[in-house]
Amino acid sequence: MRRAVLAPAGVLAIVAASWAGWRWAEARSEARYQAGIAAAKEDVLGGSVASARLKLQDLADRWPGRGEAEFLLGACEQSLGRLDAARDAWARVPADSGFGPNAALMLARLALRGHRMAEAERVLPRAIGAKGAQGRQARGMLLRLYKLQGRYEEARRLVRDGGATDPDRVGMIRELFRLDSRDPMALGEHARAVEQAAAAAPDDPGVLLGLAHLAMRRGRVEEARRWLTARLERSDDPAAWRGWLDWALPSQDVPLARRALAHLPGGTVPPQEVLSLRAWFAARAGDAAAERAALSRLVELSPGSIPAVERLAGLARQAGDDEEAARLRSRKAELDRMMGRYVGLMSAPDPAGDAAELAAIAERLGRTFEARAWWELAVDRDPGLAADRAEASDRLARRENDRASADSLPRLLADLGPATDPTRTPADVPPRGPAPRFVDEAGPAGLSFAYRAGSTPDRQLPESMGSGVGLIDADGDGWLDVYLTQGGPFPPTPGDPGPGAGDRLFRNLGDGTFEDLTDAAGVADFARGYGHGVAVGDVDEDGDPDLFVTRYGSYALALNRGDGTFEDATEAWGLGGDRDWPTSAALADLDGDGDLDLYVCHYVAWDETDPVRCPDEGAGGYVLCSPLAVESRPDHLFRNDGGRFVDVTRGAGIVDEDGRGLGVVAADVDEDGLLDLYVANDQTANFLFRNLGGMRFEEVGAPAGVAAGGHGGYQAGMGVACGDLDGDGLPDLAVTNFFAEGTAVYRNLGRGIFADQSGPSGVLAATRPLLGFGLALVDVDNDGRLDLAQANGHVEDFRPESPYAMPALLMANLGGGRLADASAGAGPAWAVPRLARGLAAGDMDNDGRMDLLITQLDGPLAFLRNVTDGGRWLTIGLEGSAASGRDAVGARVAVEAGGRLLVRRRLGGGSYQSSGDPRIHVGLGDEAGADAVEVRWPSGRVDRFEALAAGAGYLLREGGPTPLPLPGFAPTGDADGAGPGG
């Protein structure tokens, strides 16, 4: 039997009929679906959310995967408070449906409501696809998560990817710039968000990474390590390993850094960062040539890489290529100026008006994405710039192409070789010797004093600057007395402003207590004022230390009569009259004639009767104005002409065009036998005045590498310190800065050329969450290495975004220029929040252990007595000849002990508006004494003293044949030369 064969036309007819039937059925199905959706919406509009929920549940079950029913169902469930059901409904919305991005956004909101960062992060990339404001909102949510976790490279990519659709292009550029600062979020906001999340979702991987990043921002390295370990246990992903890399780099942990990099996808580390990492590994391996090659390539591709330029200058200096070092220093100074201009223009209310200049600067700084964005804004304002934009676009494209092929993570890993798996995650190695320990004994010692800031609703700038403390042996008994400047109402009022007014002098009784000798010493009879700083020195060369005090609007000079009483010599010595606003001062022989000259820092022009007022836009009232909003005042240099100070500022080459001086130290930083001056300025370039001889100076801060931070831009310098931090015998410098800037540490490379070591030293990470004022480099544990003590406190109450009162900081020297935070173990006094300003270090009880005094605004003086166990020591008093001056400021003391050479210097000034112990303190560790002590006096004479036993104080006189007992100390020291308990 034959089968019937349909003709092609018949086949087509059947197919057409089937297709028509399917289309009819589909249309009917779609109509029913849409009708159901419409009915559910009607229910919602009528207030029957529960009824709508039932309809939508039925639609989602009968027609799964269409998206709209599931999305609306989730909204109903959320409205009814059924959040888990809402989450389930939104999770059923297909990602590729029209409702997928919006559903992802709703899921992210639910996750973040429960502080589940990791869950939100998984869905937010889909939500970014939502149109309009919802897509931008999703991008903002993901950006915030990245910032909370310190994932800045991912954050930068996210911002750049959304740049084309971002209606706020200026805001987008500013966000990128903040991300490059690695501090794009207020610390208070960061802490609130992460700590709330930790309370609600303590095991969430995203929360753990956020806690680790918060700890790093606070300088708590060990705490960060614990959170990172917990994160890795829960999620072994690139974000976790990126966190470990960010921990390993400042911790100098090479194996861990190598291991972290091996877990990162190649594309997640941009070529410029790869070159920076290549240089870092080369530096750790001591391969200067490889480091220079990597950094040179980095600067070639990104000319605005200021840290690379800074490091290259240091490497050139170490290699003996002074010409190249000078060229790079000049380039660094130019970049600092450009960065300052860029930030200033970008911070203006309408930066788009300067978009063409901003584009040009961004290009010169190597900020190619920002340059393109500025050019777009410039052409929007002026279409005539289109041709300039096109030329710039070509240049930028070539640079971007060069960068893309410059280096890669796989290449770096191949060059580094196989990763080693460290047996431990190294933390900071504890310092050798006893752990430092202090007790605040201001109350029991009778040091009852509180500085009165006299704050007003106007928030005038002088109210924030605070007080200094000076250590002075006023009566010559060998025990350090304490001089404290006092404020009062502001503006200052004539006459007696009330009880406790005026500066105070406390006499050291030698038994651990002090008595107030203000009246008996004649200090109470002096003209009063709103006090700031104090400097101590024998200005009349009679053998007794005198006092120079700065006050708002005036100077004061008090000469010591030799019996512990003082006479006012301000007018007689030519220092009377209106002195605008002086702050810190230094006494030092700057012309080599044997007597002490005077350098005085001055801040800004301020009119207390008609002050500049800066409104607080958020809370109402006023906040402190930026010092840049007020004209600066020049510093002054006075030559001591034997009974009179003569202003020689201009003639000496002290040109202070835009400085706002707050701290000064006099030290021979280039070791040419002449005392130089280093000045910390607030938000402008720091000065280094190199002494040329004959009372002539040359400002060399930029070429010397100490004018600005190593990462670029001028900082808000406050206090200064000088000392040999890395044990190479050369004087290093340190400067406290504003909150989030961190204290700067500059290593002396020889001949007065410095390199920024803030990051490698460990100081930057520990101090960024602080606003530093007083500073001292002092050996607190007698191990022969200088530690760092810093007084902290904000100038404005921005809580909770940033802390106001802050604890002091103690960093122990680990050797080789590395320091670690030792505050937590040094006693409860280091955890007390203060609005601290002045800090002075000195051995107040002559027990061979350096104590600290800290002043604060509207709070009690802190006397941190050092009770550290063990550690041997020497205390050396210097007395120079007529050629060197009795104070011998500038003397270099080299102590040979057990094969070590410990170099200390007699400095002028230092810290912030304060003056410390004039004696030289040297910790000896376990050594029983010094094999020899060699003194190079300011006159050029060198004296050598052999075999000095530990545990004693020695007076060394220039030209004297043998050491003499130092007043206040036992002549031969204790039994074993160690501190109590040692």
Side-chain angles (χ1 to χ4, degrees), residues 13 92 191 276 306 343 346 392 413 434 507 521 532 540 556 706 792 829 948:
R92 291 165 58 191
S276 181
I306 296 179
V343 172
M346 187 169 50
L413 291 172
R507 183 189 177 207
H532 283 315
D540 55 2
V706 294
N792 309 296
L948 275 66

Side-chain angles (χ1 to χ4, degrees), residues 272 275 294-310 312 327-328 330-336 338-339 359-369 371 395-396 398-400 402-403 710-712:
Q272 301 100 293
L275 286 168
L295 292 174
S296 297
R297 181 61 173 147
L298 175 57
V299 171
E300 184 183 325
L301 295 168
S302 297
S305 299
I306 296 179
V309 175
E310 161 70 21
L312 279 170
R327 184 190 71 80
L328 288 163
S330 178
R331 173 63 178 158
K332 164 74 163 47
E334 180 187 0
L335 290 170
D336 287 331
M338 276 195 287
M339 185 65 75
I361 298 175
E363 182 177 351
R364 293 180 67 189
L365 291 172
R367 308 181 74 86
T368 56
F369 184 91
R395 292 192 302 270
L396 294 169
R398 287 193 295 272
R399 178 168 288 169
E400 287 165 345
D402 289 342
R403 284 179 180 172
H711 284 77

Side-chain angles (χ1 to χ4, degrees), residues 671 724 727-730 874 876 878 890-906 920-924 929-937 941-948 956:
E671 298 208 304
D724 181 11
D728 64 356
L730 299 174
L874 294 174
I876 297 171
L878 299 175
R892 178 183 185 272
V893 178
V895 176
E896 302 168 18
R900 300 171 71 191
L901 182 65
L902 307 173
V903 178
R904 303 290 182 262
R905 290 167 173 81
R906 175 73 166 91
I920 303 295
H921 170 260
V922 186
L924 298 175
D931 302 317
V933 175
E934 186 175 276
V935 182
R936 186 181 70 196
W937 301 91
R941 178 188 176 98
V942 176
D943 288 331
R944 187 175 177 86
F945 304 89
E946 307 282 347
L948 275 66
L956 305 183

Side-chain angles (χ1 to χ4, degrees), residues 745-799:
V745 173
Y746 301 101
R747 182 190 174 202
N748 195 327
L749 303 178
R751 300 209 297 273
I753 303 298
F754 294 80
D756 190 306
Q757 288 292 105
S758 311
S761 68
V763 171
L764 181 62
T767 55
R768 283 195 70 170
L770 301 170
L771 195 162
F773 277 92
L775 184 68
L777 302 181
V778 55
D779 185 356
V780 300
D781 51 6
N782 285 332
D783 65 355
R785 297 185 291 236
L786 293 180
D787 309 300
L788 182 149
Q790 179 172 311
N792 309 296
H794 216 299
V795 296
E796 193 66 85
D797 189 354
F798 290 128
R799 289 175 292 181

